[in-house]
Amino acid sequence: METDRFTGMVSEARRAGHLVIQARMGFGELDRMRAGLRAVRDAGPFTAGTITLDSYTRCHDFTAARRALREHPESLNGFPLIAHGVPAVRAMLEETSSSGFPVQVRHGTPRPLRVLDAMVRAGADATEGGPVSYCLPYSRVPLGQAVREWSAGCELLAAQPVPMHVETFGGCMLGQLCPPSLLVALGVLEAMFFQEHGLTGVSLSYAQQVHPGQDREALAALRRLADERLAGGDHHIVLYTFMGVFPRTGDGSRRLLAESVPLAVQGGADRLIVKTPAEAHRIPTIEENAAAIAFARSVADATDANGGPAPTSTGLYEEARALVDATLELGGSIGRCLVAAFARGILDVPFCPHPDNADRARATIDARSVLSWSDAGGMPVTAVPESGPLTARRLTELLTFNRRRFDRPEHEPLGSLT
């Protein structure tokens, strides 16, 4: 079976004992996007390219994207793929991408069909998302509609003569305060959804949370459950550097990244999505993205793959498996099961206000600094209620946990990332 270029490059890196490193990068102007891809490509071996789309395109407001590109391209917070047009984007990708440097389009829309069609015709190698992970956090689009469009989009990708790769975003969701058992379960369910619709090249993501040992346990659970539930093909594990409220200081952000890189290496991830010290303030520059990749590579090369903190033992795999099983027991296609599971509260993302999410479940960071359930809602997971009410002040403390942990002044500087 022919593999997609993304899977092929990750497999080559795995054989060579290297971590694939990737930045989340997107710029409005075509020339700047091209320069960014070149800079990342030249930052070192085993890097992958990213084109992150702008918010107008994500929301299908293509007229506004074209107007912004024409009048104020610097105001765009990503790359307006459709506004640029397929021929221009194809020419850029033909110049920059290769089997050794595949490029992934990150689009963020729950209604992906038009974007996926343009992406395929432009010659991109991969994309990411999923019917849940690109719907609940980003939109008010009904989950059933997202499932239908993602079904058609996956079938479009699967029908291409050149194999395409899709990464589930289910391991990231709102970015933080979602206990890992649910992140693992959603990642596996979305990957199963992709395979159900004919895709063979898939990867499963997980976002760094607040406790390195728990993150090690989560990565192991994700790998085990994926190996058990995904049929054939080749899949790999992706780790995201923390997606929540980011440290404000340069030293703090470097410490966070310096924790995520060993987590990827020692936790057995094949690919790492990095962030930069600019995350708390603005969109990173080309130079900052390239520097983050170089810094991560240097940390990865110095990391003992057999070291690091021991994984916690919280029953995370068992909880994730119970969530997957309870969802699939509803019967029918994976997409139908997902819609029904959220309607019944069997799956429930804490603090997510989407109309199709029950929003009864709650999470906390306990005395061990472990992310745990404080209210299970209707899910088959174990919860330990907090001693007091969830006030605005307490929620702010939870949201800023990592920022405060890494920005603490008593830490010594870790060195330069620029």
Side-chain angles (χ1 to χ4, degrees):
M1 180 185 298
E2 185 182 3
T3 60
D4 62 272
R5 294 206 308 188
F6 222 86
T7 296
M9 192 268 276
V10 170
S11 298
E12 182 182 350
R14 185 189 299 150
R15 288 191 294 269
H18 287 289
L19 180 69
V20 174
I21 300 177
Q22 184 175 356
R24 301 169 71 240
M25 182 175 63
F27 303 106
E29 304 97 319
L30 191 68
D31 288 345
R32 196 171 173 212
M33 190 71 250
R34 181 186 292 109
L37 290 172
R38 286 175 177 165
V40 168
R41 181 191 63 193
D42 297 342
F46 300 116
T47 60
T50 302
I51 297 175
T52 301
L53 302 194
D54 67 292
S55 54
Y56 290 129
T57 301
R58 293 176 189 178
C59 297
H60 284 216
D61 193 346
F62 306 120
T63 299
R66 292 187 184 96
R67 183 169 58 249
L69 182 62
R70 183 175 62 252
E71 298 175 359
H72 303 287
E74 71 285 351
S75 68
L76 288 163
N77 63 351
F79 184 77
L81 187 153
I82 290 175
H84 279 296
V86 167
V89 179
R90 173 174 283 279
M92 177 184 70
L93 289 174
E94 287 175 346
E95 180 183 336
T96 55
S97 68
S98 67
S99 59
F101 183 69
V103 175
Q104 181 182 44
V105 172
R106 299 176 178 271
H107 57 84
T109 177
R111 299 167 52 211
L113 198 52
R114 185 166 176 183
V115 169
L116 294 180
D117 176 68
M119 180 197 90
V120 165
R121 290 187 291 117
D125 297 292
T127 191
E128 67 153 16
V132 174
S133 58
Y134 265 12
C135 179
L136 266 63
Y138 292 104
S139 76
R140 296 181 68 83
V141 170
L143 182 57
Q145 182 180 355
V147 165
R148 288 190 296 273
E149 277 232 20
W150 271 94
S151 298
C154 288
E155 289 163 9
L156 170 70
L157 297 179
Q160 300 308 308
V162 177
M164 303 294 295
H165 186 90
V166 184
E167 169 198 325
T168 170
F169 204 57
C172 299
M173 291 309 296
L174 298 184
Q176 62 185 118
L177 294 188
C178 186
S181 58
L182 181 58
L183 297 177
V184 169
L186 288 173
V188 171
L189 286 165
E190 285 196 332
M192 293 175 69
F193 175 90
F194 295 156
Q195 285 198 340
E196 182 178 65
H197 291 285
L199 289 160
T200 57
V202 300
S203 51
L204 300 92
S205 69
Y206 174 75
Q208 175 189 15
Q209 297 296 318
V210 297
H211 190 287
Q214 187 183 36
D215 288 337
R216 286 283 299 268
E217 184 184 4
L219 287 170
L222 179 60
R223 186 181 310 102
R224 179 179 173 185
L225 203 51
D227 289 344
E228 292 171 354
R229 301 304 174 100
L230 299 183
D234 189 12
H235 57 269
H236 67 268
I237 303 299
V238 185
L239 176 70
Y240 280 72
T241 297
F242 183 61
M243 300 280 287
V245 178
F246 218 68
R248 291 174 175 171
T249 66
D251 282 342
S253 62
R254 282 186 285 272
R255 291 184 192 100
L256 193 156
L257 180 56
E259 186 174 285
S260 71
V261 177
L263 173 62
V265 173
Q266 294 160 348
D270 296 291
R271 182 156 51 98
L272 172 68
I273 314 298
V274 298
K275 286 197 168 188
T276 78
E279 295 293 335
H281 308 287
R282 54 176 170 76
I283 296 174
T285 65
I286 292 172
E287 294 76 16
E288 287 165 338
N289 277 293
I293 288 176
F295 179 79
R297 177 68 64 199
S298 69
V299 175
D301 290 346
T303 296
D304 178 3
N306 297 313
T312 57
S313 181
T314 64
L316 199 157
Y317 163 79
E318 288 77 12
E319 275 199 354
R321 183 182 64 189
L323 288 166
V324 171
D325 287 344
T327 299
L328 298 179
E329 285 169 2
L330 297 173
S333 67
I334 306 294
R336 181 176 295 178
C337 287
L338 286 168
V339 173
F342 277 99
R344 300 185 188 190
I346 293 171
L347 298 175
D348 186 356
V349 180
F351 310 111
C352 175
H354 190 282
D356 290 333
N357 185 60
D359 199 25
R360 290 174 51 206
R362 287 292 178 264
T364 190
I365 300 171
D366 65 22
R368 304 166 296 168
S369 297
V370 166
L371 192 55
S372 60
W373 295 105
S374 58
D375 189 333
M379 295 190 295
V381 299
T382 301
V384 178
E386 287 212 272
S387 57
L390 180 63
T391 63
R393 179 175 180 178
R394 174 59 176 160
L395 181 58
T396 300
E397 289 176 348
L398 296 174
L399 290 169
T400 59
F401 182 89
N402 263 355
R403 190 190 74 191
R404 291 180 289 111
R405 178 161 73 100
F406 288 102
D407 274 344
R408 286 183 298 168
E410 62 265 29
H411 283 299
E412 293 296 324
L414 289 178
S416 176
L417 183 54
T418 57

